[in-house]
C-alpha cells in the first residue's frame, strides 16, 4: 500500500501550538485519501516551533497531489494554531511543499495548494479552478471596504483590532496598544513627573532639556545644539523626517511678494532674485494645505493655533540650503509681513519655529498617515480580496503587507479617532487632521508615488546642483533595487505583455485600488488596468517601495528630529505675529507647547520611532511562499543589491555629524507595521 510522509511545521508565534484534534486528507489527480488523525489532545505535537512527521498510508496511489485538507476540532477550548507549511514525500520519493503561514482558529476545513505559483490561466482542472475561486469569495467576505471619513481612501471594515481576520492581527495585541506604549514611553523617558503640570509653560529653551537629556542620541542632541541655525533649518527640508516638500522655485508666487531688495544680503552671486531663480538657486516650501484648517478646540483651557506659511530658500556658494524669507500666511498684506534673516533675532526665530510646526503637521497627517499608512492599507485590502495565495503576485507582495491593516485599525481605535491620543498634543487634533487628509487627496497621484518621477517633478533630481540630498540619492538606489527584483519575478511568470493583459486577478487587484483606494478619481492617474510587463514592474515597485522604504524614510526619524520640542512644536499657543519688532523670548516660550503636551509629544515620537519586535527588514523573507528555484535566485540577487546599498551608505556616513540612514535597507522594514 502506498505511503506518504507528511511533515507539519508549526510557527513560533505566540500561542502557536494546538491541543485539539487535527485531521489531514490528501487529494490527488487519481483520488482522495481518507481523513487521517494526526494529533489529539495531550500528544504534545504541534508545539510552538515544532516540526512533526507522520506516515499516511492509502490503499491506492493518489496520483499528483493537488490539495491538502487540514481540519482542527477543539477538544476543550478554542486553541489557535499557526501552521507554517506542510511537506509531502510521495511514494516515488518526490517532495511537495504546501505553504500555509496562517492561523487555524476555528473548526473550518483549511485547503492548501502546493507552493508552485500559478496564474489563473495555468489552472486546467476544475478542482483547482474551484479552489481558487472559493478562496477569493471567502476572502472578499472577510476583507470588506469601508469609508472611515468622506473623501478618505477606503479602509478595512472593522471597528477594532479584535474584529480583524486572525491572519492579519498582531501576534500580541499589547505590542501595539498605543495607550500602553505612550505610558511606557513616558516612563522610560522619565517624564511622568511633568504630566501634572499639563498646562504650565516652560521657563525658557533650556527648560526643555529637563525632558530631553536622559534620552538624547547623536542626531537629536545635534538638533538641540544647532536648531536655531539657518543651516539646520534648511538641512531638514532635504534630510529630516519630512524631506518631501521642498521644490525648486521657477517663479516667485504673487501671494509671496519677495523682492531682491528684501533678500539681497542673503544672495551671494551678485545677481537679482529673479536671476537666481532662473539659475535654479532658489527653492520654495508652501504649506497652503493648512490654510483654513481648524485648530484643536478639544481643550477649552488652551487655545491652539495653526498657520499656513510660505518659505523661500537659497542655495549659497557652499551648496547649503538656507532660508531667506518666510511669510506666515497665504495672503500678503501689512498684517502678514515677510520675515527675513536680517530682522531682529527673535522675529526671525519665531518665524522659523512656525514653519517647523507647520512642517510637523503636514508630515504627520499627509506625508506619514495618508501617503504611507492609508495608501498601504489600500494595497493590502486589494491584495487579499483579489489575489489568491497561489498567485505569484500575492507571494511577492504579502511580506510587504504584514500587520499594516492591524496597525491602522489600532490607530483608528485609539490614536486618530475622536478624543484619541492625537488630540492630546497636536494643534491639528479634534478634526483638523481629517480636513487635511481630505484636502491632500487631490495631490495623491500615481506619479507622486513613483519616487524618481516625483523627485524630478519637484526639480530636485540633479545631484550636481543639490549634492547633499541623501533622501533622494538613497531612495533612488532602493527604488531601482526593488524595481529590478520586481522585473526578475515578472519575467519568470509573464512571458509577454499578452499574459499580463489576460491575468484577470491582477486586473481586479489594480481596479480595486483605483475604485476603492483612489475613489475612482481619474485625475489621480492610477491605472484602471495594466497592459505591459514594464508598467506592471513600475506598479509593483510603487506598492513595495511605498510600504517599505517610503514609510521608513518618514517614520523612523521622528525621534531624531522632533524630540527637541522647539524644533517641531506639535502645537502653538499664541497666534502668529502680525508685525515685526515685537517678539520677545518670553513670547516664544509662551507660544510653544506646555509641559504636558510636550511630554505627550515626546512619548509619541519615541514610540513611533521604534522597530517592532522581531522586525523583518527589506529582503528578509523567512516565510517561504515561493518554492521555485528561479524566484529564490532572484531573491538572492535582490539581497546582494541591497547589501551593496547598505555598504555605500555606511561608508558615506562615516564621521558625519549628521548621518543619514533612514533609507539604508538594513533599517527599512518590509511593511508598515508601526
Amino acid at each position: 500500500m502506498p505511503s506518504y510522509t507528511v511533515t507539519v511545521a508549526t510557527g513560533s508565534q505566540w500561542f502557536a501550538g494546538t491541543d485539539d484534534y487535527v485531521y489531514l486528507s490528501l487529494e490527488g489527480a487519481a483520488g482522495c485519501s481518507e481523513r487521517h488523525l494526526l494529533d489529539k489532545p495531550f500528544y504534545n505535537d504541534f508545539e510552538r516551533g515544532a516540526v512533526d512527521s507522520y506516515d499516511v498510508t492509502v490503499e491506492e496511489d493518489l496520483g499528483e497531489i493537488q490539495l491538502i485538507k487540514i481540519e482542527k476540532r477543539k477538544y476543550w477550548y478554542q486553541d489557535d494554531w499557526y501552521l507554517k507549511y506542510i511537506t509531502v514525500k510521495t511514494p516515488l520519493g518526490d517532495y511537495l511543499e504546501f505553504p500555509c503561514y496562517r492561523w487555524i482558529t476555528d473548526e473550518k476545513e483549511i485547503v492548501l495548494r502546493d507552493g508552485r505559483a500559478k496564474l489563473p490561466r495555468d489552472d486546467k482542472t476544475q478542482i483547482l479552478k474551484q479552489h481558487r475561486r472559493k478562496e477569493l469569495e471567502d476572502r472578499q467576505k472577510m476583507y470588506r471596504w469601508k469609508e472611515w471619513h468622506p473623501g478618505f481612501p477606503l479602509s478595512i471594515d472593522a471597528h477594532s483590532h479584535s474584529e480583524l481576520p486572525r491572519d492579519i492581527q498582531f501576534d500580541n495585541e499589547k505590542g501595539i496598544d498605543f495607550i500602553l506604549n505612550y505610558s511606557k514611553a513616558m516612563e522610560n523617558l522619565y517624564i511622568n513627573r511633568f504630566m501634572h503640570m499639563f498646562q504650565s509653560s516652560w521657563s525658557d529653551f533650556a527648560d526643555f532639556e529637563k525632558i530631553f537629556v536622559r534620552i538624547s542620541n547623536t542626531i537629536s542632541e545635534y538638533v538641540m545644539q544647532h536648531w536655531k541655525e539657518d543651516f539646520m533649518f534648511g538641512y531638514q527640508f532635504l534630510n529630516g523626517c519630512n524631506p518631501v516638500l521642498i521644490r525648486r522655485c521657477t517663479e516667485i508666487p504673487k501671494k509671496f511678494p519677495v523682492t531682491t531688495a528684501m533678500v539681497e544680503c542673503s544672495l551671494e552671486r551678485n545677481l537679482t532674485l529673479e536671476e537666481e531663480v532662473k539659475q535654479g538657486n532658489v527653492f520654495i516650501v508652501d504649506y497652503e494645505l493648512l490654510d483654513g484648517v481648524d485648530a484643536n478646540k478639544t481643550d477649552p483651557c488652551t487655545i491652539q493655533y495653526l498657520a499656513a506659511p510660505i518659505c523661500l530658500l537659497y542655495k549659497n556658494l557652499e551648496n547649503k540650503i538656507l532660508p531667506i524669507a518666510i511669510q506666515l500666511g497665504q495672503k500678503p498684506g501689512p498684517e502678514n509681513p515677510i520675515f527675513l534673516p536680517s530682522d531682529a533675532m527673535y522675529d526671525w526665530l519665531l518665524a522659523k519655529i512656525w514653519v517647523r510646526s507647520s512642517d510637523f503637521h503636514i508630515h504627520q497627517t499627509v506625508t506619514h498617515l495618508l501617503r504611507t499608512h492609508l495608501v498601504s492599507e489600500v494595497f493590502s485590502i486589494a491584495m487579499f480580496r483579489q489575489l489568491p495565495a497561489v498567485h505569484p503576485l500575492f507571494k511577492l507582495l504579502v511580506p510587504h503587507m504584514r500587520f499594516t491593516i492591524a496597525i491602522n485599525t489600532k490607530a483608528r481605535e485609539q490614536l486618530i479617532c475622536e478624543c484619541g491620543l492625537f488630540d492630546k498634543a497636536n494643534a491639528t487634533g479634534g478634526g483638523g487632521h481629517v480636513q487635511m487628509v481630505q484636502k491632500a487627496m487631490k495631490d495623491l497621484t500615481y506619479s507622486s508615488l513613483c519616487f524618481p518621477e516625483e523627485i524630478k517633478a519637484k526639480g530636485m533630481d540633479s545631484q550636481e546642483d543639490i549634492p547633499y540630498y541623501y533622501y533622494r540619492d538613497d531612495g533612488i538606489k532602493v527604488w531601482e533595487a526593488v524595481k529590478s527584483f520586481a522585473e526578475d519575478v515578472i519575467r519568470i511568470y509573464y512571458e509577454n505583455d499578452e499574459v499580463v493583459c489576460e491575468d484577470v486577478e491582477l486586473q481586479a487587484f489594480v481596479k480595486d485600488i483605483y475604485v476603492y483606494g483612489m475613489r475612482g478619481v481619474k485625475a489621480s492617474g492610477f491605472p484602471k488596468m495594466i497592459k505591459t510587463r514594464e508598467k506592471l514592474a513600475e506598479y509593483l515597485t510603487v506598492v513595495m517601495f511605498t510600504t517599505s522604504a517610503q514609510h521608513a524614510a518618514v517614520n523612523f526619524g521622528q525621534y531624531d528630529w522632533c524630540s527637541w520640542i522647539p524644533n517641531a512644536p506639535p502645537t502653538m499657543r499664541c497666534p502668529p505675529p502680525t508685525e515685526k519688532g515685537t517678539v520677545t523670548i518670553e513670547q516664544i516660550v509662551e507660544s510653544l507647547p506646555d509641559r504636558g503636551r510636550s511630554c505627550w509629544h515626546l512619548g509619541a515620537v519615541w514610540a513611533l520611532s521604534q522597530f517592532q519586535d522581531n522586525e523583518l527588514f527589506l529582503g528578509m523573507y523567512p516565510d517561504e511562499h515561493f518554492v521555485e528555484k528561479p524566484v529564490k535566485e532572484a531573491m538572492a540577487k535582490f539581497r546582494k543589491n541591497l547589501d551593496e546599498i547598505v555598504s555605500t551608505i555606511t561608508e558615506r556616513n562615516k564621521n558625519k555629524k549628521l548621518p543619514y540612514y533612514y533609507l539604508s535597507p538594513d533599517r527599512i522594514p518590509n511593511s508598515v507595521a508601526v
Side-chain angles (χ1 to χ4, degrees):
M1 297 175 69
S3 179
Y4 295 80
T5 302
V6 175
T7 301
V8 182
T10 298
S12 57
Q13 280 81 353
W14 196 251
F15 297 128
T18 182
D19 275 317
D20 295 334
Y21 293 95
V22 176
Y23 300 90
L24 174 141
S25 59
L26 305 175
E27 188 159 343
C32 304
S33 74
E34 295 181 356
R35 195 174 69 155
H36 290 259
L37 176 65
L38 295 187
D39 184 48
K40 57 185 179 180
F42 313 119
Y43 262 48
N44 295 323
D45 281 3
F46 305 149
E47 297 297 307
R48 286 176 59 190
V51 177
D52 301 292
S53 292
Y54 307 88
D55 288 327
V56 175
T57 302
V58 297
E59 292 188 4
E60 295 182 4
D61 184 72
L62 302 177
E64 182 182 358
I65 302 299
Q66 297 184 327
L67 300 174
I68 286 182
K69 298 180 179 180
I70 291 281
E71 188 179 355
K72 181 170 71 70
R73 295 288 173 181
K74 72 178 181 181
Y75 166 66
W76 186 253
Y77 62 92
Q78 194 62 55
D79 182 23
D80 291 357
W81 176 36
Y82 188 83
L83 174 59
K84 290 175 65 178
Y85 61 82
I86 294 175
T87 63
V88 176
K89 182 183 178 184
T90 70
L92 296 176
D94 297 325
Y95 280 90
L96 298 173
E97 298 179 47
F98 292 78
C100 182
Y101 303 105
R102 292 169 57 187
W103 286 96
I104 302 178
T105 59
D106 49 31
E107 297 189 321
K108 291 181 181 176
E109 184 180 68
I110 298 290
V111 183
L112 303 177
R113 287 186 58 164
D114 80 83
R116 292 169 295 177
K118 301 289 184 183
L119 296 175
R121 69 170 195 161
D122 298 327
D123 285 343
K124 306 301 183 185
T125 66
Q126 195 59 37
I127 186 172
L128 294 180
K129 290 179 181 179
Q130 184 179 355
H131 173 262
R132 193 176 197 120
R133 185 169 57 249
K134 186 174 187 309
E135 181 184 3
L136 289 182
E137 288 172 356
D138 291 344
R139 291 241 213 97
Q140 287 165 14
K141 291 174 185 174
M142 292 187 344
Y143 295 87
R144 301 175 305 277
W145 296 104
K146 180 183 178 181
E147 183 180 72
W148 183 43
H149 285 294
F152 275 49
L154 295 194
S155 50
I156 195 74
D157 183 7
H159 293 97
S160 65
H161 179 266
S162 59
E163 289 183 13
L164 294 173
R166 183 66 182 89
D167 287 328
I168 61 168
Q169 291 181 24
F170 280 94
D171 298 334
N172 180 6
E173 192 178 348
K174 285 185 179 180
I176 46 109
D177 187 303
F178 286 106
I179 295 172
L180 190 67
N181 286 348
Y182 278 24
S183 302
K184 179 179 161 187
M186 286 187 281
E187 185 180 325
N188 288 347
L189 305 177
Y190 198 59
I191 52 180
N192 280 328
R193 58 200 168 118
F194 296 105
M195 289 304 293
H196 70 284
M197 301 181 263
F198 198 80
Q199 288 161 339
S200 63
S201 297
W202 301 95
S203 304
D204 51 36
F205 293 138
D207 209 14
F208 283 97
E209 291 189 49
K210 290 179 180 177
I211 63 168
F212 180 84
V213 173
R214 281 175 59 90
I215 39 117
S216 61
N217 66 19
T218 306
I219 293 178
S220 62
E221 191 165 335
Y222 194 89
V223 171
M224 180 188 72
Q225 294 166 351
H226 299 278
W227 71 281
K228 295 180 185 177
E229 298 170 16
D230 287 355
F231 161 73
M232 177 59 75
F233 179 87
Y235 179 85
Q236 291 178 74
F237 288 112
L238 299 177
N239 301 310
C241 62
N242 193 29
V244 304
L245 299 183
I246 189 169
R247 61 173 61 242
R248 200 183 293 269
C249 182
T250 55
E251 183 182 11
I252 303 295
K254 290 181 180 178
K255 65 180 181 179
F256 191 24
V258 184
T259 65
T260 300
M262 290 179 181
V263 298
E264 62 183 345
C265 63
S266 298
L267 308 180
E268 298 182 356
R269 294 176 176 85
N270 296 319
L271 301 173
T272 66
L273 179 60
E274 289 71 23
E275 289 169 337
E276 294 278 17
V277 168
K278 284 181 182 176
Q279 287 203 3
N281 298 322
V282 180
F283 303 84
I284 193 166
V285 181
D286 190 347
Y287 297 92
E288 183 180 13
L289 186 91
L290 282 163
D291 193 33
V293 172
D294 295 328
N296 193 338
K297 295 181 177 64
T298 58
D299 180 1
C301 299
T302 302
I303 301 176
Q304 301 178 58
Y305 297 90
L306 293 168
I310 313 172
C311 181
L312 207 64
L313 300 115
Y314 175 69
K315 184 184 71 171
N316 70 7
L317 292 173
E318 296 179 335
N319 286 321
K320 292 180 179 178
I321 304 291
L322 303 173
I324 58 172
I326 293 171
Q327 183 177 283
L328 296 180
Q330 292 288 309
K331 295 178 182 177
E335 294 189 349
N336 189 17
I338 295 174
F339 292 92
L340 307 165
S342 55
D343 290 340
M345 178 176 66
Y346 291 134
D347 282 7
W348 182 235
L349 182 60
L350 182 56
K352 289 191 293 182
I353 289 173
W354 268 105
V355 172
R356 292 296 310 140
S357 183
S358 301
D359 195 80
F360 175 80
H361 296 311
I362 296 288
H363 166 261
Q364 286 290 6
T365 302
V366 179
T367 307
H368 184 207
L369 173 63
L370 172 60
R371 296 180 68 88
T372 64
H373 277 262
L374 298 185
V375 168
S376 296
E377 183 174 359
V378 166
F379 297 151
S380 298
I381 299 170
M383 181 198 73
F384 282 113
R385 286 174 54 82
Q386 304 298 349
L387 298 177
V390 72
H391 198 291
L393 299 189
F394 178 90
K395 293 171 181 284
L396 177 68
L397 296 180
V398 71
H400 301 285
M401 309 302 169
R402 180 175 179 255
F403 299 147
T404 298
I405 298 174
I407 196 70
N408 285 5
T409 302
K410 199 68 177 180
R412 286 188 287 268
E413 194 180 347
Q414 292 185 329
L415 184 62
I416 50 178
C417 56
E418 189 175 349
C419 301
L421 291 172
F422 192 82
D423 291 353
K424 289 186 179 293
N426 294 284
T428 51
H433 60 303
V434 174
Q435 296 172 351
M436 289 173 69
V437 170
Q438 290 166 335
K439 293 174 74 172
M441 279 296 288
K442 73 180 190 303
D443 297 318
L444 180 57
T445 61
Y446 177 77
S447 63
S448 72
L449 296 179
C450 294
F451 189 86
E453 199 172 325
E454 176 68 352
I455 293 287
K456 189 172 184 179
K458 287 183 162 69
M460 301 295 292
D461 51 313
S462 173
Q463 288 187 322
E464 186 177 348
D465 286 352
I466 314 162
Y468 304 120
Y469 198 11
Y470 305 128
Y471 163 74
R472 171 203 60 206
D473 300 341
D474 299 352
I476 286 175
K477 288 186 181 75
V478 174
W479 172 276
E480 291 300 332
V482 171
K483 188 177 180 186
S484 176
F485 177 45
E487 289 169 342
D488 288 344
V489 174
I490 288 167
R491 276 192 292 267
I492 295 168
Y493 297 102
Y494 298 89
E495 57 261 38
N496 54 47
D497 293 343
E498 186 179 352
V499 181
V500 173
C501 293
E502 292 174 352
D503 185 348
V504 293
E505 291 167 350
L506 161 63
Q507 304 303 341
F509 168 66
V510 171
K511 186 178 179 181
D512 243 28
I513 290 170
Y514 172 73
V515 171
Y516 297 105
M518 298 307 118
R519 310 303 296 267
V521 176
K522 190 175 181 181
S524 72
F526 270 78
K528 298 178 188 177
M529 66 178 299
I530 291 179
K531 299 179 180 179
T532 67
R533 295 195 297 177
E534 182 182 4
K535 196 66 180 176
L536 177 56
E538 180 187 78
Y539 196 91
L540 295 175
T541 305
V542 165
V543 174
M544 293 190 286
F545 186 88
T546 301
T547 56
S548 58
Q550 189 60 41
H551 177 257
V554 302
N555 182 73
F556 294 104
Q558 290 188 75
Y559 178 74
D560 289 347
W561 295 99
C562 302
S563 56
W564 179 245
I565 307 292
N567 189 59
T571 189
M572 297 290 277
R573 297 179 297 146
C574 296
T578 55
E579 58 181 325
K580 296 186 181 186
T582 63
V583 179
T584 63
I585 181 68
E586 289 78 17
Q587 183 183 343
I588 294 178
V589 173
E590 193 63 32
S591 296
L592 289 169
D594 55 44
R595 293 170 186 255
R597 286 182 175 83
S598 296
C599 293
W600 273 109
H601 168 82
L602 194 59
V605 298
W606 184 85
L608 291 172
S609 299
Q610 307 305 305
F611 294 120
Q612 286 285 343
D613 292 338
N614 303 315
E615 190 68 83
L616 297 175
F617 295 97
L618 199 58
M620 294 171 59
Y621 303 118
D623 292 357
E624 295 190 55
H625 292 277
F626 283 109
V627 300
E628 297 96 325
K629 186 179 177 182
V631 187
K632 292 187 177 183
E633 289 172 348
M635 286 178 174
K637 175 186 165 187
F638 182 39
R639 282 190 289 270
K640 184 172 182 286
N641 289 342
L642 295 175
D643 288 343
E644 289 173 1
I645 297 171
V646 171
S647 298
T648 301
I649 293 172
T650 302
E651 185 62 31
R652 181 199 64 209
N653 283 337
K654 278 184 180 176
N655 304 318
K656 274 194 179 298
K657 293 178 181 177
L658 281 174
Y660 187 82
Y661 44 68
Y662 309 116
L663 281 168
S664 183
D666 58 343
R667 291 173 177 249
I668 298 175
N670 270 330
S671 62
V672 177
V674 65

